[in-house]
């Protein structure tokens, strides 16, 4: 037997005791109030997170996350000597919670798709150079911004108390959704004889604002409601920018994912403001800065030219495209203000950017 450390020696001693029949079995009597539950799938979608939250006390989410600082599953018995990992400092439910989050996670798991298999790539066709270049510029821009919604949740995820595991699981699903979005737009740019075109300094300014937001809720308001809200409206109108069934399918599938992300952000802000009405000004302030950055990105020359060429159907119809972009922008603003109202925030008189674009 080689020399082993005290930790390994203790493990070997325990193994030896168990093999010799010196059993403990006290774990069998742990957590008696958590025993005897039987979660049942609600419907044909199978056994969801929502279903296991309906049994016993397992669905009780404390307002203050437990302070043992470990990864112990909520509802399990926590031994007294449980060591803290020292990284969970978001322990207040109101800072991350949304009442729809378990439902959204179940939906996210059920609606995963593959950019390799679920897009009809064989239906791509050679396009006129102006249209293919415009499509590739739009895809470059989307590939640049999509993964902010992976990096931002990742930045906060490991701070969140494990008692709020529904939030952590949902954010994990969002990170993978965004990975798929980044890859699908990159793939579209590279799949039809074109390639990536120009990245955007204006986009980077907006992304920085989201990454550097001082807390999760302000970052979420900026990203889930403002940024992803604008993108959701864009994808909903994806027919406007589609050249073939390939782009239509991409926009439609991404739209489903974005709708979940925006729904979480809206309901989180609602929960937060109900608990912290005194912090409304903080949200207004970050949204004002975000609106300016979003406007700057949306009206950047590379962005509007490429979008208008696609929307108009060619460089010679770019004016028609601008008319459609004006319609789209108005929808983006209307839907953004509506979602904020749903969250309990009225920005209709505080909006930092125009309600409509000039003709
Ligand atoms: Fe996305
Ligand atoms: Fe998203």
């Amino acid at each position: 037997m080689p020399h082993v450390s005290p930790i390994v020696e203790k493990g070997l001693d325990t193994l030896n005791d168990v093999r010799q029949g010196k059993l403990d079995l006290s774990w069998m009597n742990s957590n008696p109030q958590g025993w005897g539950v039987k979660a049942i799938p609600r419907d044909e979608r199978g056994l969801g997170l929502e279903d296991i939250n309906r049994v016993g006390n397992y669905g009780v989410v404390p307002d203050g996350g437990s302070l043992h600082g470990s990864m112990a599953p909520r509802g399990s018995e926590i031994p007294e000597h449980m060591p803290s990992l020292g990284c969970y400092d978001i322990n207040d439910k109101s800072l991350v919670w949304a009442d729809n989050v378990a439902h959204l996670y179940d939906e996210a798991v059920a609606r995963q798709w593959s950019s390799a298999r679920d897009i009809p790539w064989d239906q791509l066709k050679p396009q006129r150079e102006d249209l293919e270049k415009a499509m590739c510029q739009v895809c470059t821009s989307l590939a640049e911004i999509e993964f902010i919604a992976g990096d931002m949740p990742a930045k906060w995820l490991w701070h969140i108390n494990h008692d709020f595991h529904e939030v952590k699981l949902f954010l994990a699903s969002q990170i993978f959704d965004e990975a798929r979005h980044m890859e699908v737009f990159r793939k579209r740019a590279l799949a039809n004889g074109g390639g990536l075109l120009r990245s955007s300094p204006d986009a980077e300014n907006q992304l920085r604002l989201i990454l550097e937001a001082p807390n999760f809720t302000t970052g979420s308001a900026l990203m889930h409601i403002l940024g992803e809200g604008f993108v959701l409206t864009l994808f909903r109108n994806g027919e406007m920018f589609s050249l073939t069934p390939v782009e239509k399918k991409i926009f439609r599938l991404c739209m489903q994912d974005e709708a979940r992300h925006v729904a979480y952000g809206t309901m989180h802000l609602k929960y937060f403001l109900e608990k912290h009405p005194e912090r409304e000004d903080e949200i207004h302030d970050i949204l004002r800065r975000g609106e300016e950055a979003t406007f700057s990105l949306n009206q950047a020359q590379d962005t509007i030219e490429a979008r208008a060429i696609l929307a108009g159907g060619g460089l010679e119809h770019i004016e028609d495209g601008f008319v459609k972009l004006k319609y789209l922008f108005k929808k983006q603003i209307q839907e953004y203000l509506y979602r904020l109202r749903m969250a309990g925030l009225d920005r209709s008189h505080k909006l930092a950017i125009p309600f409509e674009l000039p003709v």
Side-chain angles (χ1 to χ4, degrees):
M1 172 76 105
H3 175 74
V4 294
S5 72
I7 293 172
V8 175
E9 197 169 337
K10 182 166 179 280
L12 288 170
D13 287 348
T14 304
L15 178 63
N16 195 36
D17 286 351
V18 171
R19 295 294 300 274
Q20 290 187 11
K22 294 179 192 166
L23 303 181
D24 172 58
L25 299 182
S26 62
W27 52 269
M28 280 196 172
N29 297 318
S30 67
N31 196 24
Q33 66 275 26
W35 186 249
V37 299
K38 190 174 179 185
I40 298 170
R42 183 186 22 178
D43 54 31
E44 69 285 349
R45 284 174 291 182
L47 190 64
L49 209 51
E50 285 190 294
D51 301 318
I52 61 169
N53 273 357
R54 276 199 288 270
V55 289
N57 289 327
Y58 290 101
V60 177
V61 185
D63 288 338
S66 45
L67 298 177
H68 47 75
S70 79
M71 298 179 85
R74 189 181 73 218
S76 67
E77 182 175 302
I78 315 289
E80 278 182 19
H81 53 272
M82 181 65 89
S84 168
L85 299 185
C87 57
Y88 301 124
D89 51 14
I90 299 182
N91 297 316
D92 179 340
K93 181 182 178 187
S94 68
L95 303 182
V96 291
W97 191 254
D99 283 337
N100 56 355
V101 70
H103 173 77
L104 290 171
Y105 176 71
D106 286 343
E107 189 182 305
V109 172
R111 303 187 89 174
Q112 292 296 299
W113 52 277
S114 160
S115 78
R117 293 190 309 270
D118 296 328
I119 305 298
W121 294 110
D122 59 344
Q123 292 185 36
L124 278 175
K125 291 188 176 64
Q127 301 291 330
R128 285 172 25 178
E129 188 175 285
D130 57 338
L131 290 170
E132 184 61 28
K133 284 191 167 166
M135 177 57 71
C136 286
Q137 180 59 37
V138 165
C139 287
T140 303
S141 162
L142 289 170
E144 183 172 9
I145 64 173
E146 279 289 349
F147 206 69
I148 185 62
D151 277 352
M152 179 274 187
K155 171 184 170 179
W156 296 102
L157 197 46
W158 68 281
H159 288 273
I160 299 174
N161 191 300
H162 269 249
D163 280 353
F164 314 135
H165 63 255
E166 291 90 344
V167 174
K168 302 185 80 143
L169 299 185
F170 173 74
L171 293 176
S173 78
Q174 177 174 11
I175 290 171
F176 193 67
D177 289 346
E178 305 303 348
R180 196 169 47 234
H181 297 178
M182 187 172 85
E183 64 164 293
V184 80
F185 290 114
R186 187 174 181 87
K187 284 176 178 173
R188 171 58 191 88
L190 272 56
N192 201 32
L196 293 169
L197 288 175
R198 187 179 289 160
S199 55
S200 162
D202 291 295
E204 295 302 318
N205 289 334
Q206 186 186 31
L207 302 179
R208 177 195 298 276
L209 195 61
I210 292 169
L211 276 183
E212 294 182 353
N215 51 56
F216 177 78
T217 299
T218 48
S220 166
L222 274 178
M223 188 186 78
H224 288 118
I225 303 182
L226 175 57
E228 296 186 279
F230 266 55
V231 166
L232 173 58
T233 311
L234 177 84
F235 290 169
R236 257 200 200 123
N237 292 272
E239 297 252 331
M240 191 187 283
F241 303 102
S242 294
L243 299 173
T244 72
V246 169
E247 295 86 19
K248 284 181 190 165
K249 188 92 184 271
I250 291 173
F251 287 129
R252 188 165 62 75
L253 289 172
C254 288
M255 179 189 73
Q256 291 175 7
D257 297 341
E258 296 302 348
R260 287 193 300 275
H261 309 158
V262 173
Y264 165 73
T266 305
M267 292 302 281
H268 168 52
L269 184 61
K270 180 171 189 287
Y271 194 88
F272 175 84
L273 287 174
E274 283 169 0
K275 304 287 179 188
H276 302 283
E278 76 286 357
R279 293 181 67 179
E280 189 178 306
D281 286 348
E282 192 183 333
I283 305 297
H284 277 301
D285 184 55
I286 200 91
L287 288 177
R288 175 187 57 73
R289 295 166 62 199
E291 286 159 8
E292 290 165 358
T294 301
F295 190 78
S296 164
L297 169 60
N298 266 280
Q299 312 315 318
Q301 194 146 4
D302 298 343
T303 308
I304 53 171
E305 287 178 359
R307 287 183 183 180
I309 289 170
L310 284 179
L315 186 53
E316 73 276 25
H317 301 301
I318 195 167
E319 287 302 321
D320 296 340
F322 284 128
V323 173
K324 290 186 180 169
L325 291 190
K326 178 179 157 73
Y327 161 82
L328 175 69
F329 181 80
K330 192 173 172 184
K331 291 279 285 183
Q332 285 172 317
I333 294 290
Q334 286 171 340
E335 291 181 8
Y336 166 61
L337 291 175
Y338 173 76
R339 289 178 193 120
L340 287 177
R341 273 202 305 281
M342 292 295 99
L345 197 75
D346 182 3
R347 273 195 68 70
S348 54
H349 301 293
K350 297 190 175 205
L351 197 65
I353 55 179
F355 281 88
E356 285 191 56
L357 297 176
V359 182

